[in-house]
Amino acid sequence: MIQMSALFRKEVVESWRNFRLMAILIVFIIIGVLSPFTALILPDILGMVMKDSGIMAEIPDSAALDSYTQFFTNMNQMGLVIFVIVFGSILTHEFSRNTLVNLVTKGLKRTNVIVVKSVFLIFVWTMGYVVSALVTYIYTLYYWDEAVDHLILSFTMTWMYGLFIISLVMFASTLFTNSFIAVLLSVVAIVIMMMMASIHPDVAEYLPQYLIGNNVGLLAGEVEPRDVLWPSVITGGVTLVLFLLAVLRFRKAPMN
Amino acid sequence: MNMDIQEYLPFLIPLFLLQLVLVATALVMIIRQQDFRYLNRMAWVIIVIILNIVGPILYFVLERR
């Protein structure tokens, strides 16, 4: 336990000193502010463009749903990618700089290392995501004040997908040890494979990808909560298995 | 383009401040840093100023380890 808390503090201090923690928080808050802003100005911009080109059409005013649509688009595409790029090297850079060798030979348990690193990533992701979601929520409440269905479940789905990506990063890191590029590529490859698999509608309903594809559908009431039960269970299960595999594999990983 | 800017200030001010923090921190770090892994000081300053959000993030990821 002492080892774990010391390691955790080390991670926090490290990411604070090289400003990554702050940078990711700022990016997430920017996403939180940008999403309702985009939803608010989009009708105006469209209106101007249409007036210039002489098209006459009614543009519906934006609603709370548009704000959340923007949020989920930004978060699922930009937010997650930036998070993986900024924090994906958390384990690989220890390998490439050989900074773990001394600690491990002096009695630091390997399991503690990987568990603390995973917990730290989960902690950063949860914190950033909650702040971002809250900012969007407050702006949306202030500017539109409309009720949408299943808001919390919808937010939770992207959060779960983030956990899944983190477990993927940790497992890939233990496989490729010192190459961050390999980790990045394997995460991208798996996401692309899931996208291709979800072309088939029967398969799509069970993939983690379903979670981030249906946030808005859930809000709009097109998708029922029980439809996302299976993908949630499967994502949770796969995430746990990947974390477990990462721990097992890390115990045997070569450190030279 | 006389869309009421006032109405958008609650968005624009936080966006501007957050970007400012990112860029300012990156610039201070660049000026203090002696050895660069990739590129040089001038190139990083230009990248950080021109590419908003992405520029500082790139700097933090590539140069700060």
Side-chain angles (χ1 to χ4, degrees), chain A residues 127-145:
Chain A
M127 196 170 63
Y129 183 69
V130 167
V131 170
S132 181
L134 270 183
V135 170
T136 297
Y137 177 68
I138 291 168
Y139 270 114
T140 310
L141 211 60
Y142 181 74
Y143 276 88
W144 287 282
D145 196 16

Side-chain angles (χ1 to χ4, degrees), chain A residues 241-253:
Chain A
V241 168
L242 281 176
F243 275 132
L244 209 65
L245 283 177
V247 172
L248 292 177
R249 164 77 195 147
F250 186 70
R251 285 193 187 154
K252 303 257 163 60

Side-chain angles (χ1 to χ4, degrees), chain A:
Chain A
M1 213 55 217
I2 299 173
Q3 280 188 356
M4 281 192 170
S5 66
L7 267 175
F8 194 82
R9 225 166 326 139
K10 173 239 170 206
E11 293 299 336
V12 173
V13 170
E14 182 180 353
S15 61
W16 179 261
R17 295 248 170 94
N18 60 21
F19 205 68
R20 287 184 183 195
L21 190 59
M22 207 56 203
I24 201 80
L25 271 182
I26 290 177
V27 168
F28 275 23
I29 298 175
I30 287 179
I31 291 178
V33 181
L34 204 58
S35 308
F37 184 47
T38 320
L40 195 67
I41 62 170
L42 214 53
D44 288 354
I45 294 175
L46 271 179
M48 277 197 300
V49 172
M50 282 165 116
K51 204 157 67 184
D52 287 347
S53 51
I55 305 168
M56 295 298 266
E58 272 306 302
I59 308 156
D61 272 344
S62 53
L65 197 59
D66 297 312
S67 171
Y68 292 122
T69 310
Q70 290 295 335
F71 173 78
F72 286 121
T73 322
N74 288 336
M75 193 45 111
N76 296 344
Q77 291 166 8
M78 199 164 76
L80 265 171
V81 171
I82 291 179
F83 180 77
V84 169
I85 289 176
V86 173
F87 277 103
S89 61
I90 189 165
L91 194 56
T92 49
H93 82 281
E94 300 269 11
F95 280 113
S96 54
R97 289 184 318 188
N98 285 329
T99 37
L100 279 178
V101 178
N102 288 336
L103 300 173
V104 168
T105 48
K106 292 268 188 277
L108 176 64
K109 285 209 183 67
R110 284 182 174 221
T111 318
N112 286 350
V113 175
I114 184 124
V115 168
V116 166
K117 282 192 186 284
S118 310
V119 169
F120 176 71
L121 280 194
I122 295 173
F123 168 72
V124 173
W125 163 246
T126 309
M127 196 170 63
Y129 183 69
V130 167
V131 170
S132 181
L134 270 183
V135 170
T136 297
Y137 177 68
I138 291 168
Y139 270 114
T140 310
L141 211 60
Y142 181 74
Y143 276 88
W144 287 282
D145 196 16
E146 298 166 350
V148 284
D149 297 342
H150 313 299
L151 186 59
I152 292 181
L153 179 61
S154 192
F155 276 133
T156 314
M157 275 159 41
T158 295
W159 178 74
M160 275 190 75
Y161 188 80
L163 295 191
F164 166 71
I165 292 290
I166 291 173
S167 70
L168 211 56
V169 166
M170 291 318 277
F171 180 57
S173 301
T174 56
L175 281 185
F176 300 111
T177 60
N178 57 9
S179 168
F180 174 49
I181 300 297
V183 173
L184 213 57
L185 284 181
S186 55
V187 172
V188 171
I190 289 186
V191 170
I192 290 177
M193 260 156 56
M194 285 195 305
M195 279 176 174
M196 278 157 68
S198 50
I199 292 174
H200 197 293
D202 292 342
V203 183
E205 282 176 27
Y206 297 99
L207 288 175
Q209 211 68 21
Y210 193 78
L211 290 182
I212 59 166
N214 286 284
N215 303 101
V216 178
L218 200 63
L219 289 181
E222 294 158 6
V223 180
E224 291 293 313
R226 68 185 141 80
D227 295 339
V228 296
L229 177 67
W230 274 112
S232 308
V233 169
I234 288 172
T235 309
V238 172
T239 307
L240 281 180
V241 168
L242 281 176
F243 275 132
L244 209 65
L245 283 177
V247 172
L248 292 177
R249 164 77 195 147
F250 186 70
R251 285 193 187 154
K252 303 257 163 60
M255 279 185 205
N256 38 19

Side-chain angles (χ1 to χ4, degrees), chain A residues 19 22-23 26, chain B residues 14-27 56 60:
Chain A
F19 205 68
M22 207 56 203
I26 290 177
Chain B
L15 281 178
F16 175 74
L17 286 181
L18 290 167
Q19 296 233 25
L20 195 69
V21 173
L22 268 188
V23 172
T25 322
L27 286 180
F60 294 129

